[in-house]
Amino acid sequence: MLTAFTPARDFSSVQNSSRFACPAPPRPAEDIQKTLTGAGQLLYYMSLIVVGSMAYDAIETPFGKTNRIVGGAATYVAYAASNFVNPVKQISIVGYDFEKEEMDALVKRGVVLDGVEIVRDKKSFFWSGRYHLDMNTRDTLVTDLNVLVDFKPVVPESYQESEFLMLGNVNPQIQIDVIRQMKKRPKLIAMDTMNFWMETAMGDLEKLLKMVDVLMINDSEARQLSGQFSLVKAAREIMKMGPSYLVIKKGEHGALLFHGNQVFFAPALPLEEVFDPTGAGDTFAGGFMGHIAKTRDVSFENMKTAIIVGSAMASFCVEKFGPERLKEISKADIDERLGQFVELVNFDINLV
Amino acid sequence: MLTAFTPARDFSSVQNSSRFACPAPPRPAEDIQKTLTGAGQLLYYMSLIVVGSMAYDAIETPFGKTNRIVGGAATYVAYAASNFVNPVKQISIVGYDFEKEEMDALVKRGVVLDGVEIVRDKKSFFWSGRYHLDMNTRDTLVTDLNVLVDFKPVVPESYQESEFLMLGNVNPQIQIDVIRQMKKRPKLIAMDTMNFWMETAMGDLEKLLKMVDVLMINDSEARQLSGQFSLVKAAREIMKMGPSYLVIKKGEHGALLFHGNQVFFAPALPLEEVFDPTGAGDTFAGGFMGHIAKTRDVSFENMKTAIIVGSAMASFCVEKFGPERLKEISKADIDERLGQFVELVNFDINLV
């Protein structure tokens, strides 16, 4: 439900236009679904392709330990995005050990797995890590790439025409390859990456950055990529490399969205405990792209809302191990959480 | 100028009520001044008493060095607050070396110095420090207490009846003493403190915390005071100690305002450079209390606005050495900056 609501601009007061549900996104997804069921064609456009790992993790935090829990960037993105858009079209690779019930859980949420290769004689990617007391740093204990070594994604014919593409953190060469397989360039391409690729595949990364619209990285990665300590300067340098939108994730300190000379900030929800931060960044990306794909609105204004949605989804993710909490939550839970974000940053102001 | 503007609540959408200047504070300071000039009595109520050091600093940052610049908590508070409320009534102590032109500059801004003791045979408090590259840490090079050793503030008769009291970071015993000298308890008492007093004067600090309304400290101090790492848990513990409002300052990561179960977040403005962070916390406090004293509204809603105003003032402070930038800015500059904060956190949202 949308309420159109545009108060007259009064130049005697400074406007904080965070407000009741306005302006309406140009073509809300629900309407399109309602009016075009049958033709069905638009479902292709609205759908989101997600590329990335599907894995198992063993995680140790100050609050506890889990020996084997489903994980991987594409898994978190899919769990978050599927609250907003259907279908989510997964491109990944798993081994013989990837449990059917995990696949089924995704399918039940409207995730299409045609692009997920199952390797019969290898195990799934496995990662194990231990978080420090402050939860901001972690030690990687085990990285068994397993099937990930062979990841050469093929974009299924049924995925073509999708308007939204989220490239999770994998080798930039793979990310480029997926973009090149798209017969029609998606309306919005977003990508994640990490310091490792800046150090080992900078040539490919530079090529890739010219092909995408949105780059999502954390603050230390932004500093490394740009050679600038100031995030404002870093953002300017990075946008020169290609992406016209840059999201800098600062974990418990929120996230910044840059576009041209504009900047927007979404806080992280102050939580009693961060139980397990694994996957929070990917969940953020899933909420972000889910909202964009749902609304089909790629304006800066709508991206502001998208990073609030991403932050809200991430705030659920960290409440339990792995994607456990993401599997539980309802749309009502998400609405309530979004309301908390509104309360968190809502203020009135007058001129001095 | 205020515009009353209350959109109907639509439960189908999540409300972000950050909006055009509403609701109007109950009694805007300008109106009171206009209608009651002559009687003048209300000027006493509206006035803000500031207690704290006035000093000289020598500061070294990665961007440069200054050998002697005016500083001290009360100086920064006064420079920030005097943009919003007049008079600001200073309580401090200086030595023979405190320059007349610095005093005159404050008086010109409506700062009353009746409560500032001038010691003829001692020098003013002097502090010298060097900031590290990240600007979040600094080494103290020199701390010459000088006159500060003798600081036994006397609240002048002309300061009585003031409704707002800001206790800068000094010995809690001095802060208690000032409160006790007030014949009528101010409408709002805010205080700053630091880890040093938690370690050396915890008894007095505990007594003091029961006497104040607002405590403003940074995140590491909040953790130390509460023994809790989670800031949400820390806030709950600290509010049990007395203050019903708690502001946790996180520097470049913004500030949190807690009250009961409510929480509000104000970001720091993303700046190209933080030139010199000295005094940013005190400037924040000055903007906060200046806004509260101007509006005479001590509600949680109005405190949200106050911490945005504080954050805006702090964003100016760090742009030049010491209070240099604060001396330059106009009301138009402040309005423009407040507008940037609105843009920074403004978003629209719908239910899932």
Side-chain angles (χ1 to χ4, degrees):
Chain A
M1 284 296 296
L2 301 163
T3 44
F5 166 73
T6 312
R9 181 141 198 143
D10 175 354
F11 286 96
S12 68
S13 67
V14 175
Q15 177 183 8
N16 182 342
S17 63
S18 294
R19 59 195 181 247
F20 296 74
C22 66
R27 305 183 70 181
E30 299 84 346
D31 296 356
I32 296 164
Q33 266 172 322
K34 259 178 239 153
T35 51
L36 288 157
T37 304
Q41 191 59 28
L42 261 168
L43 279 178
Y44 284 110
Y45 301 143
M46 283 169 51
S47 69
L48 169 67
I49 300 179
V50 178
V51 182
S53 59
M54 292 171 72
Y56 281 102
D57 295 337
I59 304 162
E60 202 177 323
T61 81
F63 300 103
K65 198 177 163 168
T66 175
N67 283 327
R68 189 167 186 268
I69 193 164
V70 71
T75 309
Y76 286 101
V77 174
Y79 270 110
S82 58
N83 289 290
F84 308 95
V85 67
N86 269 308
V88 172
K89 297 179 168 175
Q90 208 81 336
I91 296 183
S92 192
I93 186 166
V94 297
Y96 61 84
D97 59 337
F98 205 89
E99 283 157 87
K100 189 174 174 300
E101 66 183 29
E102 293 295 348
M103 296 287 203
D104 291 347
L106 286 165
V107 170
K108 228 167 142 179
R109 299 177 70 93
V111 180
V112 172
L113 302 176
D114 297 356
V116 179
E117 185 186 348
I118 302 169
V119 181
R120 294 293 164 199
D121 59 353
K122 275 194 174 179
K123 286 183 108 175
S124 301
F125 174 43
F126 177 81
W127 174 84
S128 168
R130 184 192 294 130
Y131 287 88
H132 297 184
L133 257 174
D134 70 355
M135 290 288 195
N136 290 322
T137 46
R138 68 185 184 191
D139 297 324
T140 289
L141 304 176
V142 181
T143 308
D144 288 338
L145 290 176
N146 300 328
V147 291
L148 216 56
V149 186
D150 311 315
F151 191 28
K152 287 191 185 57
V154 176
V155 178
E157 193 55 35
S158 63
Y159 285 24
Q160 297 291 348
E161 302 285 338
S162 284
E163 281 189 326
F164 302 95
L165 173 58
M166 174 68 221
L167 300 165
N169 169 35
V170 289
N171 189 321
Q173 187 51 61
I174 294 175
Q175 294 170 309
I176 291 172
D177 188 37
V178 170
I179 296 175
R180 290 204 173 133
Q181 289 181 52
M182 296 298 295
K183 291 174 188 163
K184 189 174 154 196
R185 189 193 190 276
K187 189 169 177 173
L188 194 82
I189 304 176
M191 65 168 279
D192 186 10
T193 189
M194 70 186 295
N195 50 0
F196 179 75
W197 306 117
M198 297 173 198
E199 288 148 22
T200 61
M202 194 56 194
D204 286 337
L205 190 55
E206 282 174 346
K207 218 183 292 173
L208 172 62
L209 285 170
K210 291 187 176 55
M211 303 168 81
V212 304
D213 305 297
V214 185
L215 173 65
M216 299 189 208
I217 47 180
N218 71 31
D219 44 0
S220 72
E221 289 159 353
R223 288 182 169 126
Q224 180 167 346
L225 185 58
S226 64
Q228 294 286 344
F229 183 81
S230 153
L231 294 180
V232 174
K233 287 185 177 175
R236 197 180 304 135
E237 291 307 313
I238 292 168
M239 285 187 289
K240 280 184 205 160
M241 297 176 179
S244 59
Y245 296 91
L246 172 66
V247 177
I248 299 182
K249 298 173 285 181
K250 302 198 296 170
E252 61 168 323
H253 300 301
L256 288 160
L257 168 67
F258 293 92
H259 174 58
N261 289 320
Q262 296 175 287
V263 58
F264 177 71
F265 176 81
L269 199 69
L271 293 169
E272 287 216 9
E273 292 305 355
V274 170
F275 186 84
D276 171 21
T278 309
D282 300 313
T283 304
F284 174 94
F288 179 93
M289 286 301 279
H291 175 78
I292 298 284
K294 173 191 171 187
T295 54
R296 299 185 69 220
D297 174 357
V298 298
S299 67
F300 180 70
E301 283 308 309
N302 194 45
M303 285 201 195
K304 292 178 176 185
T305 307
I307 85 162
I308 294 286
V309 172
S311 300
M313 297 312 296
S315 75
F316 285 117
C317 176
V318 303
E319 289 179 339
K320 290 196 174 180
F321 269 129
E324 271 177 20
R325 185 76 179 116
L326 296 177
K327 290 182 179 183
E328 293 171 355
I329 52 169
S330 65
K331 283 187 197 292
D333 292 326
I334 297 171
D335 283 340
E336 193 192 335
R337 188 64 51 102
L338 289 172
Q340 287 178 272
F341 273 85
V342 169
E343 287 304 310
L344 187 63
V345 298
N346 144 42
F347 67 94
D348 300 324
I349 202 138
N350 296 296
L351 291 195
V352 183
Chain B
M1 285 296 296
L2 303 163
T3 44
F5 166 75
T6 311
R9 181 141 197 142
D10 175 355
F11 287 97
S12 69
S13 67
V14 174
Q15 177 183 10
N16 182 343
S17 63
S18 295
R19 57 196 184 248
F20 295 74
C22 67
R27 305 182 69 182
E30 298 86 346
D31 295 357
I32 295 165
Q33 265 171 325
K34 259 180 239 153
T35 52
L36 289 157
T37 305
Q41 192 59 27
L42 261 170
L43 279 177
Y44 283 110
Y45 302 143
M46 283 168 52
S47 69
L48 169 66
I49 300 179
V50 178
V51 182
S53 59
M54 292 171 70
Y56 281 102
D57 295 336
I59 304 160
E60 203 177 323
T61 81
F63 301 103
K65 197 177 164 170
T66 174
N67 283 326
R68 190 166 184 269
I69 193 164
V70 70
T75 308
Y76 286 101
V77 174
Y79 270 109
S82 58
N83 289 290
F84 308 95
V85 66
N86 270 309
V88 172
K89 296 180 168 175
Q90 208 81 337
I91 296 183
S92 190
I93 188 165
V94 298
Y96 62 84
D97 59 336
F98 205 89
E99 283 158 87
K100 187 175 175 301
E101 67 183 28
E102 293 295 350
M103 295 288 203
D104 291 348
L106 286 165
V107 169
K108 229 169 142 180
R109 298 177 72 92
V111 181
V112 172
L113 303 176
D114 297 356
V116 178
E117 185 186 346
I118 302 170
V119 181
R120 294 296 165 197
D121 59 352
K122 276 192 174 178
K123 286 184 108 173
S124 302
F125 174 44
F126 178 81
W127 175 84
S128 168
R130 184 191 293 130
Y131 287 88
H132 297 184
L133 257 174
D134 70 356
M135 290 287 195
N136 289 323
T137 47
R138 68 184 185 192
D139 297 324
T140 290
L141 304 176
V142 182
T143 308
D144 288 339
L145 289 175
N146 300 327
V147 293
L148 215 56
V149 186
D150 310 316
F151 192 29
K152 286 189 186 59
V154 176
V155 178
E157 193 53 36
S158 63
Y159 285 24
Q160 296 291 347
E161 304 284 337
S162 284
E163 281 190 325
F164 303 96
L165 174 57
M166 174 68 220
L167 299 166
N169 169 36
V170 289
N171 189 318
Q173 188 52 62
I174 294 176
Q175 294 170 309
I176 291 172
D177 189 36
V178 170
I179 296 175
R180 289 203 173 133
Q181 288 181 53
M182 297 298 294
K183 292 174 188 163
K184 189 176 153 192
R185 189 193 189 276
K187 190 169 176 172
L188 195 82
I189 304 176
M191 64 168 282
D192 186 10
T193 190
M194 70 187 293
N195 51 359
F196 179 75
W197 307 116
M198 296 173 199
E199 287 149 21
T200 62
M202 194 55 194
D204 286 338
L205 190 54
E206 282 174 345
K207 219 183 290 173
L208 172 62
L209 285 170
K210 291 187 176 54
M211 303 168 80
V212 305
D213 304 297
V214 184
L215 173 65
M216 298 189 209
I217 48 180
N218 70 32
D219 44 0
S220 72
E221 290 159 351
R223 287 180 170 128
Q224 181 166 345
L225 185 58
S226 64
Q228 294 286 344
F229 184 80
S230 153
L231 294 180
V232 174
K233 287 186 177 176
R236 197 181 303 135
E237 291 306 313
I238 292 168
M239 286 188 287
K240 279 184 205 160
M241 297 176 178
S244 58
Y245 295 91
L246 172 66
V247 177
I248 299 181
K249 299 174 286 184
K250 302 198 296 170
E252 62 169 321
H253 300 303
L256 288 159
L257 168 67
F258 292 92
H259 175 56
N261 288 320
Q262 295 175 288
V263 58
F264 177 71
F265 177 81
L269 199 71
L271 293 168
E272 286 216 8
E273 291 304 357
V274 170
F275 186 84
D276 170 21
T278 309
D282 300 312
T283 303
F284 174 93
F288 178 92
M289 287 301 279
H291 175 79
I292 298 284
K294 174 191 171 188
T295 53
R296 299 184 70 223
D297 174 357
V298 297
S299 68
F300 179 70
E301 282 309 309
N302 194 45
M303 283 200 196
K304 292 178 176 184
T305 307
I307 85 164
I308 293 287
V309 172
S311 300
M313 297 312 297
S315 76
F316 284 118
C317 177
V318 303
E319 289 179 340
K320 289 196 174 180
F321 269 130
E324 270 176 19
R325 185 76 180 116
L326 296 177
K327 290 182 178 183
E328 295 171 354
I329 52 169
S330 65
K331 284 188 196 291
D333 293 326
I334 298 172
D335 283 339
E336 193 191 337
R337 187 64 51 103
L338 288 172
Q340 287 177 271
F341 273 85
V342 169
E343 288 304 310
L344 187 62
V345 298
N346 147 40
F347 66 94
D348 301 325
I349 202 136
N350 296 297
L351 290 195
V352 183

